[in-house]
Amino acid sequence: MKLLVTGGCGFIGTNFIRLMLASHPDWSILNLDKLTYAGNRLNLLDLEENEPRYEFVRGDICNRELVMDLLGGKRIDAVVNFAAESHVDRSINDPSPFVATNVAGAQNLMECARQCGTGRFVHVSTDEVYGTLGPSGKFTETTPLAPNSPYSASKAGADLMARAYFETYRFPVLITRCSNNYGPYQFPEKLIPLMYLNAKADKGLPVYGDGLNVRDWIYVDDHCRGVELTLTKGREGQAYNFGGNAEETNISVVRTLLSIVGKPESLITHVTDRPGHDKRYAMDFSLAAEELGFAPTLPFDQGLAQTIAWYEANTTWLEQVQSGEYRTFMDSWYGERA
Ligand code: NAD
Ligand code: TYD
């Protein structure tokens, strides 16, 4: 099978491409990525240099001509769309790029795939489309969409477009909705790598509000397996929830992280809460368990220790993705077909 993976230079896309090429000798992957601040081509440089089943193209999923060209000319069998603007705080500062990529870009990809008669299309979405939970209960696939941030609203917009493409055109789209991922290659604007960096530098750890917001953490490889199962076994037109069965308050995550890196809890600094901050996420993934055989494999404490060990061993990666020099280098490396 030849897959078009979009956003493959980001956190989850990188892990997905590595895992899929390692576990499917008969799969090849074309990675289309715009290389925004969150995309790092060097993540997969070893594959670019040594793996004939991997190919990279820099470009924008909103670019209709380019996407038509790739889907038409490269004999693609299926698409997995990870490309997105992904950070809630950035969406609060400026929602526009979120609408452009997450809604219009996703629709452009679906439309091009429909016109080219490409096979299955997995649209990677998020639990955040459901909004927020009270102290009890979990999100199921029939929970109404009620997004609270510009990020989650843009993801919900694409989910609804995907639904409409299935109902209207019988376009073979499937949706995955997963909870908070953690693991190698996560950009240090998200909770775990940001807190790790600050702790290492003995800087304050900015916990929003009281720190009692709850997220359901899943190790990134478990999410990638969920996407793989959806692609290979899922029902077209269906959305599937994925979660880690690991509900944790933010303050508890930060405390555990501090204990792993051997830094004092006095570094914790409570800061002004995020506007519209969702209180609690928790996923009921029984549909994916029953239909796809999905189960998360890594307990949170073990996954967190493994993740911190990866950051410890990859400090140059962290330095690289934060540096302006790196950005300039990426922009001059190859031209953008955007
Ligand atoms: P990320 O921000 O790390 O990576 C996004 C990637 O998309 C980057 O490589 C970026 O360069 C690329 N990109 C952005 N705009 C693009 C465009 N217009 N054209 C082509 N490429 C573009 O994000 P992530 O955390 O890896 O998330 C991947 C997907 O999974 C997103 O759709 C996100 O909504 C979803 N998701 C993330 C989480 C999580 O916890 N991180 C949880 C559930 C779902
Ligand atoms: P984040 O990693 O941004 O993911 P999301 O907003 O998609 O869940 O944040 C995870 C949780 O951590 C969320 O409740 C917000 C909180 N948070 C902080 O308290 N401080 C921070 O600096 C960040 C980035 C997040």
Side-chain angles (χ1 to χ4, degrees):
M1 173 154 70
K2 181 152 190 184
L3 268 186
L4 174 68
V5 172
T6 68
C9 294
F11 162 46
I12 305 172
T14 292
N15 285 287
F16 180 79
I17 289 174
R18 288 198 174 282
L19 206 56
M20 292 309 106
L21 287 176
S23 32
H24 297 278
D26 55 336
W27 286 18
S28 58
I29 293 181
L30 173 63
N31 173 15
L32 170 64
D33 196 299
K34 183 178 176 178
L35 300 180
T36 67
Y37 77 93
N40 183 357
R41 185 172 178 177
L42 299 177
N43 290 355
L44 296 169
L45 189 63
D46 55 323
L47 295 182
E48 254 188 83
E49 289 176 347
N50 304 311
E51 176 51 83
R53 294 179 296 132
Y54 173 75
E55 190 184 344
F56 174 74
V57 172
R58 186 180 190 184
D60 193 329
I61 59 165
C62 301
N63 183 335
R64 188 179 155 75
E65 198 187 337
L66 168 62
V67 175
M68 286 300 285
D69 204 26
L70 294 178
L71 289 178
K74 299 273 188 181
R75 295 195 298 280
I76 301 294
D77 301 303
V79 178
V80 180
N81 179 30
F82 289 102
E85 290 292 336
S86 68
H87 194 209
V88 172
D89 294 324
R90 286 180 189 257
S91 82
I92 294 168
N93 286 343
D94 181 7
S96 308
F98 288 75
V99 176
T101 289
N102 300 3
V103 186
Q107 185 273 332
N108 183 54
L109 274 180
M110 285 188 263
E111 182 57 25
C112 294
R114 184 174 83 84
Q115 288 190 21
C116 292
T118 311
R120 289 180 153 220
F121 187 113
V122 177
H123 177 66
V124 179
S125 187
T126 163
D127 61 351
E128 303 193 25
V129 297
Y130 297 123
T132 189
L133 288 165
S136 62
K138 293 188 174 191
F139 295 129
T140 72
E141 289 82 358
T142 55
T143 302
L145 303 194
N148 292 317
S149 72
Y151 163 67
S152 52
S154 67
K155 295 297 291 185
D159 285 19
L160 292 175
M161 190 59 79
R163 176 195 153 85
Y165 263 65
F166 178 74
E167 294 298 332
T168 308
Y169 307 115
R170 294 287 136 184
F171 178 67
V173 64
L174 303 96
I175 298 172
T176 63
R177 296 191 181 126
C178 189
S179 60
N180 286 64
N181 286 218
Y182 67 100
Y185 300 104
Q186 188 166 33
F187 193 81
E189 64 186 355
K190 305 282 168 38
L191 182 74
I192 288 173
L194 178 85
M195 295 298 173
Y196 168 78
L197 266 187
N198 283 19
K200 291 300 276 187
D202 295 309
K203 286 193 197 156
L205 271 53
V207 170
Y208 298 160
D210 59 13
L212 296 179
N213 302 64
V214 172
R215 297 293 182 262
D216 174 0
W217 293 95
I218 182 171
Y219 191 71
V220 63
D221 282 358
D222 281 333
H223 178 199
C224 292
R225 289 294 182 201
V227 172
E228 175 193 26
L229 288 166
T230 305
L231 175 66
T232 54
K233 292 190 182 168
R235 266 185 296 127
E236 289 169 8
Q238 185 61 49
Y240 292 96
N241 282 355
F242 296 97
N245 253 345
E247 285 186 57
E248 298 279 341
T249 60
N250 293 336
I251 194 78
S252 146
V253 171
V254 169
R255 286 195 180 122
T256 311
L257 186 148
L258 282 169
S259 78
I260 295 172
V261 295
K263 296 285 181 170
E265 289 190 9
S266 56
L267 286 176
I268 294 173
T269 317
H270 287 271
V271 298
T272 309
D273 209 353
R274 172 191 276 173
H277 195 175
D278 288 333
K279 188 70 185 177
R280 177 172 163 261
Y281 303 144
M283 292 304 256
D284 176 341
F285 52 82
S286 50
L287 185 71
E290 280 158 29
E291 287 194 10
L292 310 176
F294 169 80
T297 61
L298 208 56
F300 182 66
D301 285 358
Q302 201 181 319
L304 187 61
Q306 202 168 299
T307 301
I308 301 299
W310 186 87
Y311 283 112
E312 294 279 357
N314 289 276
T315 46
T316 47
W317 182 88
L318 277 169
E319 283 156 19
Q320 239 173 31
V321 298
Q322 293 177 96
S323 79
E325 210 177 306
Y326 158 78
R327 294 303 328 161
T328 313
F329 167 64
M330 292 312 273
D331 287 337
S332 62
W333 190 1
Y334 280 83
E336 181 180 0
R337 292 179 68 193

